[in-house]
Amino acid sequence: MLARVIRSMAKPARMQSSSLVKPVSLTKIPGRYLAHQEGLPKLPVPPLQQTLDRYMAVLQPIISQEELEHTKHLLDEFGKPGGVGERLQKGLERRARKTENWLSDWWLQTAYLEYRMPVVIHSSPGVVLPKLEFHDRQGQIRYAAKLIAGVLDFKTMIDNETLPVEYLGGKPLCMNQYYQILSSCRIPGPKRDTVINYTLSKSPPTHVTIVHNFQFFVLDVYNSDGSPLTVDQICTQLEKIWNSSLQTNKEPIGILTSQHRNTWGNAYNNLIKDKTNKESVKAIQKSIFTVCLDAPMPRVSDELYLSRVATQMLHGGGSRWNSGNRWFDKTLQFIIGEDGSCGVIYEHAPAEGPPIVALVDHVVEFMRSAETVRSPMIPLPMPKKLRFNITPEIKKDIEKAKQNLNIMVHDLDVKVTVFSHFGKNFPKSQRMSPDAFIQVALQLAYYRNYNRCCSTYESASLRMYRLGRTDTIRSASIDSQHFVQAMDDPSKSNQQKVDLLQKAIVAHRAYTNMAINGQAIDRHLLGLKMQAIEDLTSIPEIFMDTSFAVAMHFNLSTSQVPAKTDCVMCFGPVVPDGYGVCYNPMDEHINFAISAFNSCAETNAAHLSHLLEEALLDMRDVIIQLPKSKL
Ligand code: COA
């Protein structure tokens, strides 16, 4: 998940209980969203020489001296007055003047819509929620009904434009992503995909899709007067769906969406040749969101439970289990298992994780406080089942998709852990940034495993800017390298180790500040490259250089997605020999989800997880062993 805010930075006023608005439009504040958006600054284009200098600095811990010298030479040539760099920079600055955000469209295309790998594992993140206290269909249906009501409550704030604006360091943030996550779906294309959002269409959707035993249903969730169905009403409707989809031998049509995007693009065109299929697909795409009522998964020990749920969220467990119980192109899918497993999978193109977990936090809070309104039982029509005509060709596509998906499922190695020794309160008590503390620990864990530093990606929010998405914090720095090398060096004193740790943490926080203020290097370099492509000039040598390839090979792809709910987001690695690491730092514990590929002999999620735990504990120990006056 290369593209990946700042819930903790943005004091989430919306999460206070008063934020649960009534499902009526009395509070509508028309035009509020646009007025807010227009007040946001535009993403700056950083100065060229600044980026080139910083690029050289980030290469230091990951590139050999010899390669560095070669790269320095290329960068000097690129950046010289009147050179290629200057020309591209001017082009970028022109683009920045003419567009709302010089980066957002390029980013959407290159990071998502033109990315051809399956969205499953390679792009779509999952969210693992704590195990629910039910073990049967009754509990599953009741929970699903409340959850649907909770999401509709959140939707009211979006529709009414009353969603409280988030702030970061006193600055308001772009709220656009919240308006992209409902009633939205990715659509495959043979070369590039598109995302369609029905929120502003002439007839915005009033239904959600429910999928059970691979069968899709349209569930209307609003009454004719525009009020949402009550929890009881939704329950009744879900019962009807459940009872009419008891057979499990149906074709898992949704599994098609797990394919490589070109393959799926072709299969899609074939699928929608049939009018009934086209209408059914459109009903899924247009729905507000999808709820997947999953069959029970194989039981595992308590220790492995969260890791198993992570796989259920990321891929559904394979064609024998729940992978056919999805439409992976759908932006938002809530997953509720009959066995109490629960979570979310979302298609990444329209939004980053933080708005998704903000929605999850709201729903969880809503469900806690929701009173059961006993509604007059006006009979509601049977939810419509979506029909698919399966031709032999479609059947063949489904079989191919099953095979590919099962290979991907076997290849994914996920470990979810709860680090329970301390949470973000410990680094805070030491006047250290918790995020930087965790990132430095990750550097230490990796170094201990591989005896080298690697190119590391951490998502940084650009939402202080209009339509801002993310940039990259490069967590492997010269300071983190000095610390990880010193930590296990017996010739170094505790004081020296702590001094180096503090320096590494300060450097990380400084990079974070630079990134969230639009001054990091990765998106700027991408912009310069895209500008060269647009100008139809040859790609500058700095982008063909070995150093560039190494810098872009993120063995550690990481992200903090903080939530109030005791959950954790998870995603796959972005390179074959890498790790995906996502974490939710709570006050007294930290939830981690680490992924790797089984096909890579050098990676192992559980082992890195173990090393990370040791690194966090060792870092705490060197700090607390020091007399307070020496800190
Ligand atoms: N001393 C004491 N407390 C400190 C501190 C210090 N030196 N530095 C930070 N803190 C506090 C902060 O005030 C904050 O307090 P809070 O919990 O009361 O809000 C807390 O520690 C967390 O701060 P920190 O750990 O530094 O991280 P952050 O919340 O600023 O987040 C990023 C850092 C990089 C994660 C964030 O800026 C960001 O950009 N997130 C985007 C993530 C994203 O988009 N992910 C997408 C995934 S799809």
Side-chain angles (χ1 to χ4, degrees), residues 2 107 456-460 470-474 511 515 520-523 554:
L2 266 189
W107 181 245
T456 309
Y457 182 113
E458 184 192 356
S459 338
T470 57
D471 206 326
T472 311
I473 303 166
R474 288 188 168 262
Y511 204 122
I521 63 167
D522 278 79
R523 303 298 180 268
F554 293 107

mmCIF file of all heavy atoms in Angstrom, residues 2 107 456-460 470-474 511 515 520-523 554:
data_model
loop_
_atom_site.group_PDB
_atom_site.id
_atom_site.type_symbol
_atom_site.label_atom_id
_atom_site.label_comp_id
_atom_site.label_asym_id
_atom_site.label_seq_id
_atom_site.Cartn_x
_atom_site.Cartn_y
_atom_site.Cartn_z
ATOM 1 N N LEU A 2 1.310 1.617 -1.192
ATOM 2 C CA LEU A 2 2.210 2.752 -1.254
ATOM 3 C C LEU A 2 1.522 4.049 -0.923
ATOM 4 O O LEU A 2 2.121 4.971 -0.414
ATOM 5 C CB LEU A 2 2.800 2.843 -2.649
ATOM 6 C CG LEU A 2 4.134 2.142 -2.805
ATOM 7 C CD1 LEU A 2 4.740 2.444 -4.117
ATOM 8 C CD2 LEU A 2 5.073 2.542 -1.689
ATOM 9 N N TRP A 107 -1.177 11.261 -9.201
ATOM 10 C CA TRP A 107 -1.044 10.264 -8.141
ATOM 11 C C TRP A 107 -2.134 9.205 -8.243
ATOM 12 O O TRP A 107 -1.873 8.007 -8.168
ATOM 13 C CB TRP A 107 -1.068 10.955 -6.769
ATOM 14 C CG TRP A 107 -0.916 9.995 -5.638
ATOM 15 C CD1 TRP A 107 -1.842 9.711 -4.682
ATOM 16 C CD2 TRP A 107 0.227 9.169 -5.340
ATOM 17 N NE1 TRP A 107 -1.360 8.769 -3.811
ATOM 18 C CE2 TRP A 107 -0.091 8.414 -4.187
ATOM 19 C CE3 TRP A 107 1.470 8.983 -5.938
ATOM 20 C CZ2 TRP A 107 0.798 7.488 -3.619
ATOM 21 C CZ3 TRP A 107 2.349 8.067 -5.371
ATOM 22 C CH2 TRP A 107 2.018 7.340 -4.240
ATOM 23 N N THR A 456 12.689 2.653 3.266
ATOM 24 C CA THR A 456 11.473 2.534 4.085
ATOM 25 C C THR A 456 10.494 3.657 3.765
ATOM 26 O O THR A 456 10.889 4.818 3.662
ATOM 27 C CB THR A 456 11.830 2.587 5.597
ATOM 28 O OG1 THR A 456 12.867 1.651 5.853
ATOM 29 C CG2 THR A 456 10.621 2.281 6.457
ATOM 30 N N TYR A 457 9.253 3.246 3.596
ATOM 31 C CA TYR A 457 8.169 4.176 3.270
ATOM 32 C C TYR A 457 7.247 4.297 4.462
ATOM 33 O O TYR A 457 6.798 3.287 5.005
ATOM 34 C CB TYR A 457 7.393 3.574 2.095
ATOM 35 C CG TYR A 457 6.230 4.366 1.536
ATOM 36 C CD1 TYR A 457 6.289 4.905 0.250
ATOM 37 C CD2 TYR A 457 5.046 4.538 2.256
ATOM 38 C CE1 TYR A 457 5.213 5.599 -0.286
ATOM 39 C CE2 TYR A 457 3.971 5.238 1.727
ATOM 40 C CZ TYR A 457 4.062 5.758 0.457
ATOM 41 O OH TYR A 457 3.002 6.453 -0.076
ATOM 42 N N GLU A 458 6.985 5.517 4.896
ATOM 43 C CA GLU A 458 5.879 5.735 5.844
ATOM 44 C C GLU A 458 4.967 6.794 5.234
ATOM 45 O O GLU A 458 5.449 7.821 4.748
ATOM 46 C CB GLU A 458 6.377 6.219 7.216
ATOM 47 C CG GLU A 458 5.189 6.341 8.188
ATOM 48 C CD GLU A 458 5.461 7.073 9.506
ATOM 49 O OE1 GLU A 458 6.602 7.472 9.782
ATOM 50 O OE2 GLU A 458 4.482 7.272 10.251
ATOM 51 N N SER A 459 3.674 6.543 5.254
ATOM 52 C CA SER A 459 2.757 7.533 4.669
ATOM 53 C C SER A 459 2.662 8.759 5.558
ATOM 54 O O SER A 459 2.542 8.657 6.772
ATOM 55 C CB SER A 459 1.339 7.008 4.535
ATOM 56 O OG SER A 459 1.301 5.650 4.526
ATOM 57 N N ALA A 460 2.718 9.904 4.875
ATOM 58 C CA ALA A 460 2.518 11.186 5.566
ATOM 59 C C ALA A 460 1.371 11.889 4.881
ATOM 60 O O ALA A 460 1.282 11.897 3.654
ATOM 61 C CB ALA A 460 3.771 12.042 5.449
ATOM 62 N N THR A 470 -1.066 11.837 0.046
ATOM 63 C CA THR A 470 0.075 11.501 0.913
ATOM 64 C C THR A 470 1.414 11.824 0.249
ATOM 65 O O THR A 470 1.490 11.961 -0.970
ATOM 66 C CB THR A 470 0.129 9.980 1.202
ATOM 67 O OG1 THR A 470 0.200 9.293 -0.044
ATOM 68 C CG2 THR A 470 -1.051 9.519 2.013
ATOM 69 N N ASP A 471 2.433 11.923 1.073
ATOM 70 C CA ASP A 471 3.817 11.866 0.595
ATOM 71 C C ASP A 471 4.508 10.804 1.447
ATOM 72 O O ASP A 471 3.848 10.137 2.252
ATOM 73 C CB ASP A 471 4.515 13.232 0.684
ATOM 74 C CG ASP A 471 5.643 13.341 -0.344
ATOM 75 O OD1 ASP A 471 6.296 12.306 -0.633
ATOM 76 O OD2 ASP A 471 5.883 14.451 -0.866
ATOM 77 N N THR A 472 5.798 10.659 1.244
ATOM 78 C CA THR A 472 6.537 9.599 1.919
ATOM 79 C C THR A 472 7.484 10.154 2.967
ATOM 80 O O THR A 472 8.248 11.085 2.673
ATOM 81 C CB THR A 472 7.380 8.834 0.875
ATOM 82 O OG1 THR A 472 6.539 8.503 -0.211
ATOM 83 C CG2 THR A 472 8.030 7.601 1.461
ATOM 84 N N ILE A 473 7.418 9.563 4.150
ATOM 85 C CA ILE A 473 8.458 9.841 5.144
ATOM 86 C C ILE A 473 9.459 8.709 4.959
ATOM 87 O O ILE A 473 9.081 7.530 5.015
ATOM 88 C CB ILE A 473 7.902 9.798 6.582
ATOM 89 C CG1 ILE A 473 6.749 10.785 6.742
ATOM 90 C CG2 ILE A 473 9.015 10.075 7.608
ATOM 91 C CD1 ILE A 473 5.942 10.573 8.010
ATOM 92 N N ARG A 474 10.701 9.050 4.705
ATOM 93 C CA ARG A 474 11.727 8.012 4.545
ATOM 94 C C ARG A 474 12.366 7.776 5.908
ATOM 95 O O ARG A 474 13.184 8.570 6.371
ATOM 96 C CB ARG A 474 12.718 8.439 3.470
ATOM 97 C CG ARG A 474 12.083 8.361 2.087
ATOM 98 C CD ARG A 474 13.072 8.575 0.986
ATOM 99 N NE ARG A 474 12.487 8.204 -0.289
ATOM 100 C CZ ARG A 474 12.685 7.035 -0.894
ATOM 101 N NH1 ARG A 474 13.471 6.131 -0.355
ATOM 102 N NH2 ARG A 474 12.117 6.791 -2.054
ATOM 103 N N TYR A 511 11.561 14.999 9.550
ATOM 104 C CA TYR A 511 11.154 14.566 8.203
ATOM 105 C C TYR A 511 9.634 14.573 8.110
ATOM 106 O O TYR A 511 9.052 14.979 7.106
ATOM 107 C CB TYR A 511 11.718 13.171 7.888
ATOM 108 C CG TYR A 511 11.851 12.903 6.398
ATOM 109 C CD1 TYR A 511 13.075 12.568 5.821
ATOM 110 C CD2 TYR A 511 10.743 12.993 5.549
ATOM 111 C CE1 TYR A 511 13.193 12.330 4.453
ATOM 112 C CE2 TYR A 511 10.856 12.753 4.184
ATOM 113 C CZ TYR A 511 12.078 12.429 3.644
ATOM 114 O OH TYR A 511 12.194 12.204 2.292
ATOM 115 N N ALA A 515 7.393 16.556 5.498
ATOM 116 C CA ALA A 515 6.481 15.865 4.580
ATOM 117 C C ALA A 515 5.066 16.436 4.655
ATOM 118 O O ALA A 515 4.454 16.711 3.620
ATOM 119 C CB ALA A 515 6.473 14.364 4.884
ATOM 120 N N ALA A 520 8.507 17.143 1.154
ATOM 121 C CA ALA A 520 9.257 15.890 1.050
ATOM 122 C C ALA A 520 9.671 15.673 -0.406
ATOM 123 O O ALA A 520 9.283 16.450 -1.290
ATOM 124 C CB ALA A 520 8.412 14.733 1.553
ATOM 125 N N ILE A 521 10.430 14.619 -0.649
ATOM 126 C CA ILE A 521 11.022 14.493 -1.985
ATOM 127 C C ILE A 521 10.255 13.573 -2.938
ATOM 128 O O ILE A 521 10.325 13.740 -4.145
ATOM 129 C CB ILE A 521 12.482 13.996 -1.904
ATOM 130 C CG1 ILE A 521 12.541 12.585 -1.283
ATOM 131 C CG2 ILE A 521 13.341 14.969 -1.133
ATOM 132 C CD1 ILE A 521 13.895 11.921 -1.460
ATOM 133 N N ASP A 522 9.539 12.591 -2.401
ATOM 134 C CA ASP A 522 9.029 11.537 -3.294
ATOM 135 C C ASP A 522 8.016 12.020 -4.316
ATOM 136 O O ASP A 522 8.115 11.690 -5.501
ATOM 137 C CB ASP A 522 8.471 10.371 -2.475
ATOM 138 C CG ASP A 522 9.605 9.468 -2.026
ATOM 139 O OD1 ASP A 522 10.288 9.828 -1.036
ATOM 140 O OD2 ASP A 522 9.841 8.433 -2.694
ATOM 141 N N ARG A 523 7.016 12.780 -3.876
ATOM 142 C CA ARG A 523 6.010 13.234 -4.845
ATOM 143 C C ARG A 523 6.594 14.286 -5.778
ATOM 144 O O ARG A 523 6.185 14.379 -6.933
ATOM 145 C CB ARG A 523 4.758 13.768 -4.145
ATOM 146 C CG ARG A 523 4.092 12.788 -3.205
ATOM 147 C CD ARG A 523 3.597 11.518 -3.929
ATOM 148 N NE ARG A 523 2.978 10.624 -2.959
ATOM 149 C CZ ARG A 523 3.624 9.649 -2.304
ATOM 150 N NH1 ARG A 523 4.898 9.394 -2.570
ATOM 151 N NH2 ARG A 523 3.003 8.908 -1.408
ATOM 152 N N PHE A 554 10.795 -0.455 -1.738
ATOM 153 C CA PHE A 554 10.515 -0.290 -0.315
ATOM 154 C C PHE A 554 10.368 -1.649 0.377
ATOM 155 O O PHE A 554 9.292 -2.229 0.386
ATOM 156 C CB PHE A 554 9.262 0.551 -0.110
ATOM 157 C CG PHE A 554 9.441 1.979 -0.540
ATOM 158 C CD1 PHE A 554 8.845 2.462 -1.699
ATOM 159 C CD2 PHE A 554 10.214 2.854 0.213
ATOM 160 C CE1 PHE A 554 9.019 3.780 -2.101
ATOM 161 C CE2 PHE A 554 10.396 4.169 -0.179
ATOM 162 C CZ PHE A 554 9.796 4.640 -1.343
#
